[in-house]
Amino acid sequence: MVIAVSGEFGDDICKFVYYRIEGGRILEREMVNAVDGPLDQLAAQFNSLKVDLLIAGKLSREIELGLFDAGINLISGVNGLSDKILSSYLAGDLKF
């Protein structure tokens, strides 16, 4: 499973952390800059990384629907540090 998590990174560049998970363990972790362009380019980036789930902060309904239409599963309304967000998700106690 591949999960992308947006988080608080302290700059103006939109970033997310890409995690490859297997058997509940993190096999790969990489910070990636999000494509700066139209929504279809962002969706294509997630699809090229084979992202199964995006966990993000507050998103507009338009972005949520666009990602959903592109086949990206989404949990929105989650804020915090990406590693803590992922740990909460994997433990089954993510609050959103």
Side-chain angles (χ1 to χ4, degrees):
M1 170 182 241
V2 176
I3 300 174
V5 180
S6 65
E8 296 177 12
F9 303 112
D11 59 26
D12 292 332
I13 299 171
C14 183
K15 297 180 182 182
F16 62 92
V17 180
Y18 162 95
Y19 300 91
R20 192 164 57 87
I21 311 292
E22 202 170 288
R25 292 183 32 235
I26 299 171
L27 300 180
E28 182 178 355
R29 179 190 187 279
E30 180 180 353
M31 187 174 293
V32 178
N33 290 338
V35 171
D36 185 21
L39 179 58
D40 61 335
Q41 289 180 2
L42 181 62
Q45 180 182 26
F46 288 131
N47 283 327
S48 73
L49 292 169
K50 299 183 179 1
V51 171
D52 297 299
L53 173 65
L54 169 63
I55 303 174
K58 187 172 183 166
L59 299 174
S60 72
R61 188 70 176 145
E62 178 184 353
I63 291 174
E64 288 181 350
L65 291 173
L67 291 172
F68 180 78
D69 288 346
I72 307 294
N73 293 310
L74 176 68
I75 297 173
S76 64
V78 180
N79 293 307
L81 301 174
S82 59
D83 289 344
K84 288 186 179 190
I85 291 169
L86 180 70
S87 293
S88 294
Y89 175 78
L90 293 175
D93 60 359
L94 182 64
K95 307 285 190 253
F96 55 98

